[in-house]
Amino acid sequence: AQRVTQPEKLLSVFKGAPVELKCNYSYSGSPELFWYVQYSRQRLQLLLRHISRESIKGFTADLNKGETSFHLKKPFAQEEDSAMYYCALRVGSRLTFGEGTQLTVNP
Amino acid sequence: KAGVTQTPRYLIKTRGQQVTLSCSPISGHRSVSWYQQTPGQGLQFLFEYFSETQRNKGNFPGRFSGRQFSNSRSEMNVSTLELGDSALYLCASSLALAGFGEQFFGPGTRLTVL
C-alpha cells in the first residue's frame, strides 16, 4: 500500500531564510506526486505537481526516486507562505496525503 | 466559474444519529471525491463518484456511504454516528476521473458529534 510521510508537523523559519518541507513516500509503482497548500481560513488548493516541473510562488519540488522523496523548497521564505502544506501521492484516482506540515514564517 | 460548494458548513449531531452532507461540483465536472480530515489522521480518502457510479473506495466502515446524482452533485451519508466521526469532510471535484485531472476542493463541512 502507498504511504506518504511528512516528518515535521511544525516548521518555523524567519522571513528571507530558505525553507524545505520534507516528504517521503512508499509506493512500488511509478509515483505521481503533488503538494497542496491550505492558507488560514481558505480551502485546500494545489500548489504544484511533479510532472509539470514548475515553480509556483517561488516553490519547487524535485522527485528523487532513489530516495523516494519529493521535498518542497523555497530559497527565500515570505510571511505570506505561512500555511499548512500537504504532500500527496496519486495512485489511480485516489490521493494519499501526508499528515501535513504547518509552516510559520516569522517577520 | 463558481467553485465547489458544500452544505451545510457546520453540523452538530449526537452519537447514534445519522447525517447527510452535500457537495456541488464545479459546473461541468463529473468526478466527486470525498475526504475526511482530522488532526490525528490527517486527510483520508473516503470514496470517489463518477457518472453516478462509485469508482473507488477508501478504508472506512460501511456506515459511510455516498451517492451521486445525474447533475453530478454528490451526497455523503454517515449512519450511527460515533464520537470519532467528528471531522472536517472535504469534497473535491475534477473534470474527469480524479486520476486524470486536477482536483478542486470545497471549503468542507465541519461535523461535531457529541
Side-chain angles (χ1 to χ4, degrees), chain B residues 12-41:
Chain B
I12 299 176
K13 293 284 187 179
T14 56
R15 278 181 298 174
Q17 286 187 309
Q18 75 165 20
V19 67
T20 300
L21 313 181
S22 180
C23 172
S24 293
I26 291 171
S27 178
H29 284 195
R30 296 171 63 191
S31 166
V32 173
S33 298
W34 287 90
Y35 296 86
Q36 182 194 64
Q37 186 176 23
T38 58
Q41 301 291 323

Side-chain angles (χ1 to χ4, degrees), chain A residues 12-41:
Chain A
S12 183
V13 300
F14 285 103
K15 178 183 171 181
V19 63
E20 181 180 51
L21 291 87
K22 292 184 168 48
C23 172
N24 290 91
Y25 67 91
S26 62
Y27 176 57
S28 55
S30 187
E32 191 175 1
L33 287 149
F34 304 81
W35 277 99
Y36 281 81
V37 61
Q38 190 167 27
Y39 300 101
S40 179
R41 297 191 192 86

Side-chain angles (χ1 to χ4, degrees), chain A residues 40-107:
Chain A
S40 179
R41 297 191 192 86
Q42 292 187 29
R43 58 187 70 190
L44 193 64
Q45 57 187 283
L46 179 66
L47 181 62
L48 55 79
R49 67 193 86 185
H50 89 273
I51 56 172
S52 54
R53 302 184 64 80
E54 57 201 343
S55 173
I56 303 292
K57 299 183 179 182
F59 284 97
T60 59
D62 289 318
L63 177 60
N64 186 323
K65 291 186 179 180
E67 295 183 0
T68 60
S69 69
F70 188 56
H71 303 329
L72 184 68
K73 301 177 185 179
K74 185 169 182 177
F76 307 103
Q78 303 299 314
E79 289 180 68
E80 55 265 30
D81 296 329
S82 295
M84 190 73 169
Y85 291 81
Y86 293 94
C87 181
L89 167 69
R90 185 161 71 188
V91 176
S93 61
R94 181 190 299 203
L95 274 175
T96 298
F97 287 87
E99 291 188 23
T101 297
Q102 178 67 51
L103 173 66
T104 302
V105 181
N106 300 297

Side-chain angles (χ1 to χ4, degrees), chain A residues 93, chain B residues 32 34 45-58 64-68 97:
Chain A
S93 61
Chain B
V32 173
W34 287 90
F45 172 78
L46 280 154
F47 28 64
E48 180 187 14
Y49 285 86
F50 182 84
S51 293
E52 303 176 64
T53 302
Q54 188 180 88
R55 300 300 178 125
N56 208 340
K57 191 176 189 306
F64 291 81
S65 63
R67 60 178 175 167
Q68 187 180 35
L97 276 169

